[in-house]
Amino acid sequence: MVDYLIVGTALALAVFILARQAIRIGRGGGCGCEGGGAQPVRQRQRRARHIDAKRYPYALELQVDGMHCENCARRIEDALQSLDVIAEAKLPGTVIVRSKHPVDKEACSRAVREAGYEVVEAQI
């Protein structure tokens, strides 16, 4: 009987935490950090790459609202790279998108929005 009570309590706590996170993401809070608890990473070392501008002649710079931490940056990069572009997020809030073909601003904005963030400005 006690075992069921412990398991039930643990499950209820897990459901509560997941529901709270889903609500934050649904409100556009991105990863839920909201600029609070997570510390911004000044120099991202997850992917060290040098993009040859000759191979990717088309570029788009996005200013993204709500990107505060490494987790946010990774989520936005992954969402954009599903569009067959190279994306590099720089904290706080700048994303450089490069492509071999003309970049569709609307498609990039939509991908960022679907990831839970908002594009404030897009410049070619």
Side-chain angles (χ1 to χ4, degrees), residues 5-55:
L5 183 61
I6 293 171
V7 171
T9 303
L11 276 170
L13 181 61
V15 167
F16 172 75
I17 291 170
L18 289 173
R20 189 176 66 172
Q21 184 70 12
I23 290 169
R24 282 185 183 165
I25 290 172
R27 289 183 183 160
C31 72
C33 72
E34 298 176 16
Q39 292 296 321
V41 178
R42 295 206 190 283
Q43 196 97 36
R44 297 185 57 225
Q45 296 179 5
R46 184 172 64 84
R47 282 186 218 159
R49 64 172 170 243
H50 302 288
I51 299 172
D52 184 6
K54 293 176 189 171
R55 293 181 63 204

Side-chain angles (χ1 to χ4, degrees), residues 60-64 80 93-97 108-109 112 119 121-122:
L60 175 66
E61 182 176 321
L62 304 173
Q63 295 300 317
V64 179
L80 287 166
T94 301
V95 180
I96 306 296
V97 179
C108 289
S109 294
V112 170
V119 173
E121 184 180 349

Side-chain angles (χ1 to χ4, degrees), residues 48-103:
R49 64 172 170 243
H50 302 288
I51 299 172
D52 184 6
K54 293 176 189 171
R55 293 181 63 204
Y56 300 94
Y58 298 95
L60 175 66
E61 182 176 321
L62 304 173
Q63 295 300 317
V64 179
D65 187 36
M67 185 175 77
H68 301 291
C69 68
E70 176 75 17
N71 215 18
C72 297
R74 187 176 312 116
R75 182 173 293 176
I76 291 169
E77 283 180 349
D78 291 345
L80 287 166
Q81 288 172 355
S82 69
L83 300 175
D84 196 29
V85 298
I86 302 294
E88 183 179 10
K90 298 177 182 180
L91 296 171
T94 301
V95 180
I96 306 296
V97 179
R98 294 196 176 273
S99 176
K100 293 181 180 183
H101 308 287
V103 181

